[in-house]
Amino acid sequence: MKRLFCLTIALLPFIAAAQIPPASSPAWTEIAPGVWKATIGTTENFTLLSAAGACVTKAGREALAAMPQLSFPIDPKEIEGRQWAAKTSVRFPLGGSEDIYGLGVDFSSMRRNGGVFELHVDHWDSKKAITGRTHAPVPLYVSTKGFAVLFDSARYLRVTVGHGVRLAAKDKPPVIDRTTGKGWQANPRSDSIEVLAGAAGMDVYVFAGPSPLDAIRRYNLFSGGGALPPKWGLGFLSRVQTKYTAEQALADIAEFRKNEIPLDMLGLEPGWMDQAYPCSFEWDKTRFPDPKQFLAEVAQQHVRVNLWFNPYVAPNTPLYGKILPYAGTHLVWGGIVPDYSLPAAQKIFTNHLKRTVVDLNPDAVGGFKLDEVDGYDRYLWPDVAVFPSGRDAEQLRQTYGLLLQRAVFDTFHQSNHRTMGQVRGTNAGASPFPFVIYNDNYEFDGYITAVSNSGFAGVLWSPEVRGSNSGEDMLRRTQAVCFSPLALYNGWASPQKLWTHAEVTPQIRDAIVLRERLLPYFYNAFAQYHYQGTPVIRPMQLASSVTAAESTEAGKLDATANPYEVPAAAREVKDQYMFGDALLVAPIAPNVKSRKVLLPAGKWYDFYTGKLAGENQTIEVTPSLSEMPVFVKDGALIPMLAEKRQWVPVASETAALEIRHYGQAPGKLALYDDDGETFDYEKGDYSWTQLTVAKNGRGEWSGVVTPDVNGRKWHYSEVKWTFLAAQ
Ligand code: GAL
């Protein structure tokens, strides 16, 4: 007995060493221009990209091919994959001066170095502070070395950025005796980014740059191109109180018109159904006795209806029996949780939505708000749940929002009507979906940081305005939503209206009127997202990096260079962002009188006055109540609707354009247009018109419009030029 024990102990070191599963260097294959894929272990048959149906389009492939041809941007010997039991890990190198961004929509910070993340779809809650649990925990990171990496697994992922020093590391931090030495650190810096998935395998993608922005462009194009919402989806959305009747909803539209506050979308909250939480997916006949008539009246007002739902189906409803065979093992609020990873379940569900809602009036029903697909853990199905497809709770949790966006989007696509929706949980591969994430918290600063981070994640995020005790609060929040991907008032739980605080109604009106007038600019930013993959919202780290890159030869990467290093002053800027190419948006929080704004290199001009604001410096601004700080790049052309509008122009209309030119540099803009309502652009029914501004022989600014020779759609009757440099 004793002898055997001794023998076992003696063998232990040997056994332990032999048991470490070997790491291997993944084999990379270039699967699209500047996009490489490697598989570690055996990939599961259900991943984030497969759930989203992500697929590069023909136009996307052409856009990728037009980008610089680059070789694999990382030393492949520095990348390691390891697979053992039901786990897979991947290690990427992390250079000393390399900054890491991304890893999903985070509300608290931008830079990821030094963090440990649990990427898990959940309702963001700052009090909980489990980093990585968020509405869009997209496992995509972006490096200032000019590339991005995606871990395509539908598992909860653990990611460490610069933590956990490896025995095999070349440059290990010094070992210091904590008792007597100086500089001992609790978290010595590691040279790695490491990811762990509870799966027998995982696909990993690397997107080349040359710049970090280009790497994100490749990711968005590879996912199918960015979303192109309908024009009306970029107007204004107001959501009514939960228990509103058809009559009250119509009266609300009339009030908008009377107050001359633009309105394009009306959101119905749970009360449109006769049962919610779980949902019946049937109209409530007391509140909406004649839904068809209601929708017709809304359409007459040039407004689209957006209907709330959560996907949990109530017993004793017509949908219940049909979808029951696809239910998972657990209930949410007593409703079944359909396995929407099965196409048959998606079809039953969307057919029902079509029959009960969309087909009543396809011109009036603009989309849905897909609620409660994110969390919390205590609300949704537990991790022990399993589903008829054989997939489990974790896989469905990471993809439920993606699956529903895809199902709803496909339904609208099939009927050639575009949609604009909202969703509370999403993930990788969502770039093509015109759904904007939202949240129940109401922290202004966190909302703005989330807008910024959305640009690193291939998703759209919008703050909200709700009822408020103060006019200033409502106004500042309205101004902020008007410069975000979706401008909305969410009145589901408040009797207040946007005109409740009469003292600020004129300024609220001005903010929304400006939103509508800027439609051509915003729509162009979305067209760039769709066709070139360029995110509509660009965090400052992307804007500033361009400046830094100019000093280095673009595209020349080696193991130590960090050509897109973000200047220290911009590394953690999280309260301002670029909307499109030219507008720098610096929202001002309610009750704050002044704020700092970082103006990157190049001259920047005040959006409202055209006056020079500064260059390559941080300025302090004290805006009046009527304006939120917005700055314009030197030489930028900002296309706007020339006239005030109460709703955006419809497909059959033409409208006059005003093109504003800012600054002293000549200007150039390719302005996109199509019908703004259907998917005919997929058949080439669009145009890119070239606008240029330069000084003529007499030293005066003048503008030229060069129509697209092949262009088939252009909805602007005339162009009026405004040269703000002259002022
Ligand atoms: C919440 C959602 C709110 C509102 C509400 C209705 O889950 O975040 O915006 O729609 O449900 O009950």
Side-chain angles (χ1 to χ4, degrees):
M1 224 22 222
K2 201 170 175 205
R3 271 179 70 105
L4 188 63
F5 178 71
C6 294
L7 195 71
T8 316
I9 298 288
L11 279 175
L12 258 183
F14 178 73
I15 292 168
Q19 278 178 346
I20 288 186
S24 61
S25 211
W28 297 96
T29 310
E30 189 168 4
I31 52 168
V35 182
W36 289 264
K37 176 180 175 179
T39 301
I40 291 124
T42 308
T43 308
E44 295 187 293
N45 70 2
F46 183 70
T47 70
L48 299 176
L49 293 187
S50 76
C55 161
V56 61
T57 62
K58 190 167 159 281
R61 201 166 273 276
E62 283 164 15
L64 283 168
M67 294 179 74
Q69 272 190 4
L70 297 175
S71 48
F72 191 72
I74 310 161
D75 178 356
K77 293 193 294 298
E78 290 284 323
I79 307 172
E80 275 179 10
R82 180 173 272 131
Q83 203 286 309
W84 73 102
K87 292 188 179 188
T88 302
S89 71
V90 197
R91 181 260 170 185
F92 274 78
L94 175 65
S97 60
E98 187 174 358
D99 287 322
I100 300 301
Y101 293 95
L103 296 176
V105 173
D106 187 291
F107 291 55
S108 57
S109 64
M110 303 298 295
R111 193 167 164 269
R112 299 276 153 261
N113 298 55
V116 177
F117 304 90
E118 182 188 312
L119 299 183
H120 186 142
V121 172
D122 203 348
H123 199 91
W124 172 271
D125 182 346
S126 56
K127 285 173 221 83
K128 195 165 50 186
I130 303 176
T131 320
R133 277 191 169 238
T134 166
H135 306 263
V138 179
L140 174 79
Y141 81 79
V142 184
S143 160
T144 49
K145 287 199 169 185
F147 61 83
V149 179
L150 173 72
F151 305 101
D152 185 22
S153 168
R155 297 284 166 190
Y156 305 145
L157 297 177
R158 271 286 197 169
V159 187
T160 48
V161 184
H163 276 298
V165 179
R166 296 167 312 134
L167 176 61
K170 281 190 220 110
D171 282 322
K172 291 196 251 317
V175 175
I176 296 170
D177 172 37
R178 190 181 178 186
T179 316
T180 56
K182 280 211 176 81
W184 179 90
Q185 285 183 327
N187 295 317
R189 188 194 171 277
S190 96
D191 61 356
S192 307
I193 297 177
E194 295 188 282
V195 179
L196 175 68
M202 173 166 48
D203 287 340
V204 183
Y205 296 83
V206 169
F207 302 90
S211 70
L213 182 64
D214 291 326
I216 298 168
R217 289 183 52 205
R218 290 193 207 251
Y219 162 78
N220 287 330
L221 289 168
F222 184 71
S223 300
L228 186 59
K231 286 183 183 172
W232 50 260
L234 300 181
F236 197 80
L237 162 66
S238 176
R239 309 203 70 94
V240 300
Q241 259 186 283
T242 291
K243 286 192 192 159
Y244 256 33
T245 61
E247 216 174 307
Q248 287 171 309
L250 288 166
D252 220 37
I253 298 178
E255 283 280 289
F256 267 89
R257 298 288 182 245
K258 196 177 107 213
N259 280 293
E260 298 187 356
I261 297 181
L263 182 72
D264 301 88
M265 294 162 275
L266 184 86
L268 300 184
E269 288 289 312
W272 73 269
M273 285 192 236
D274 60 14
Q275 194 185 338
Y277 295 86
C279 294
S280 66
F281 299 93
E282 299 293 325
W283 290 89
D284 181 273
K285 285 292 163 62
T286 53
R287 288 184 284 269
F288 293 86
D290 188 349
K292 210 174 157 72
Q293 175 65 20
F294 166 72
L295 292 172
E297 287 182 45
V298 174
Q300 266 168 23
Q301 298 297 322
H302 309 279
V303 171
R304 269 30 188 223
V305 176
N306 180 290
L307 296 97
W308 173 99
F309 69 74
N310 70 46
Y312 313 114
V313 183
N316 303 321
T317 60
L319 178 57
Y320 185 82
K322 285 185 265 173
I323 210 155
L324 185 60
Y326 301 94
T329 50
H330 289 69
L331 302 175
V332 173
W333 302 304
I336 51 174
V337 181
D339 184 344
Y340 292 120
S341 75
L342 291 169
Q346 284 194 14
K347 204 157 186 55
I348 292 170
F349 179 65
T350 51
N351 279 346
H352 188 86
L353 276 187
K354 253 172 84 59
R355 231 188 352 267
T356 49
V357 181
V358 185
D359 289 349
L360 297 186
N361 191 333
D363 293 321
V365 177
F368 294 91
K369 172 175 173 180
L370 320 184
D371 206 23
E372 308 287 359
V373 291
D374 48 345
Y376 297 97
D377 287 2
R378 60 188 186 274
Y379 292 178
L380 300 192
W381 57 94
D383 280 355
V384 295
V386 281
F387 290 82
S389 58
R391 291 169 188 135
D392 61 29
E394 180 182 1
Q395 292 170 300
L396 269 280
R397 179 74 174 270
Q398 296 293 71
T399 58
Y400 218 60
L402 278 180
L403 295 165
L404 280 161
Q405 285 175 85
R406 182 181 176 184
V408 171
F409 178 74
D410 286 351
T411 304
F412 281 93
H413 193 256
Q414 279 153 21
S415 70
N416 200 24
H417 284 78
R418 275 189 244 175
T419 179
M420 182 67 159
Q422 292 187 269
V423 69
R424 235 175 53 186
T426 187
N427 217 322
S431 318
F433 298 136
F435 286 83
V436 183
I437 315 165
Y438 61 98
N439 160 292
D440 274 344
N441 300 319
Y442 207 41
E443 293 155 316
F444 187 88
D445 295 346
Y447 272 8
I448 303 306
T449 303
V451 176
S452 296
N453 266 320
S454 66
F456 282 126
V459 298
L460 304 168
W461 157 266
S462 168
E464 292 188 349
V465 193
R466 302 189 198 141
S468 167
N469 292 335
S470 107
E472 182 175 336
D473 182 84
M474 195 179 257
L475 169 62
R476 289 309 195 194
R477 290 176 185 274
T478 306
Q479 290 169 334
V481 298
C482 285
F483 280 90
S484 84
L486 180 66
L488 87 149
Y489 173 70
N490 186 4
W492 76 277
S494 168
Q496 291 198 8
K497 302 288 166 200
L498 279 174
W499 45 89
T500 294
H501 302 283
E503 74 282 11
V504 292
T505 305
Q507 289 95 335
I508 286 182
R509 178 185 303 118
D510 286 352
I512 302 175
V513 165
L514 179 61
R515 165 80 186 194
E516 302 270 326
R517 286 198 58 202
L518 278 167
L519 172 78
Y521 177 82
F522 290 141
Y523 196 55
N524 216 43
F526 274 94
Q528 291 171 333
Y529 186 34
H530 180 72
Y531 291 98
Q532 284 125 36
T534 319
V536 279
I537 300 293
R538 307 184 198 153
M540 291 317 291
Q541 291 74 24
L542 294 177
S544 340
S545 64
V546 175
T547 317
E550 278 164 9
S551 58
T552 322
E553 216 180 314
K556 274 228 155 201
L557 300 180
D558 62 40
T560 50
N562 192 7
Y564 299 97
E565 187 170 353
V566 179
R571 226 165 258 163
E572 192 41 45
V573 170
K574 55 181 185 173
D575 58 356
Q576 61 176 78
Y577 51 83
M578 299 289 302
F579 197 136
D581 286 334
L583 295 185
L584 190 163
V585 178
I588 186 142
N591 306 317
V592 168
K593 299 297 163 228
S594 66
R595 60 156 293 164
K596 290 192 165 40
V597 182
L598 176 86
L599 299 175
K603 291 189 167 57
W604 293 86
Y605 295 83
D606 180 278
F607 171 77
Y608 307 93
T609 63
K611 289 206 179 103
L612 181 65
E615 65 178 302
N616 208 8
Q617 68 189 103
T618 298
I619 58 167
E620 178 95 19
V621 290
T622 311
S624 71
L625 257 194
S626 51
E627 283 161 6
M628 185 181 89
V630 178
F631 301 92
V632 190
K633 238 186 203 162
D634 193 12
L637 301 183
I638 307 294
M640 303 173 67
L641 297 175
E643 307 291 337
K644 282 188 195 172
R645 307 263 328 180
Q646 292 302 301
W647 58 87
V648 305
V650 299
S652 55
E653 246 183 284
T654 52
L657 264 187
E658 175 188 346
I659 313 281
R660 292 191 184 174
H661 170 252
Y662 286 80
Q664 296 295 336
K668 212 164 111 188
L669 177 73
L671 183 60
Y672 177 79
D673 200 21
D674 62 17
D675 68 25
E677 291 177 8
T678 73
F679 288 90
D680 290 356
Y681 64 84
E682 290 177 348
K683 297 182 237 135
D685 209 0
Y686 60 79
S687 65
W688 288 97
T689 297
Q690 304 299 323
L691 305 171
T692 47
V693 164
K695 281 193 173 158
N696 63 20
R698 293 188 301 281
E700 298 155 345
W701 289 111
S702 85
V704 177
V705 179
T706 312
D708 182 340
V709 280
N710 302 313
R712 291 200 268 153
K713 279 282 182 298
W714 177 250
H715 291 86
Y716 300 112
S717 51
E718 57 176 301
V719 174
K720 184 180 151 236
W721 298 92
T722 305
F723 303 109
L724 282 145
Q727 295 176 20

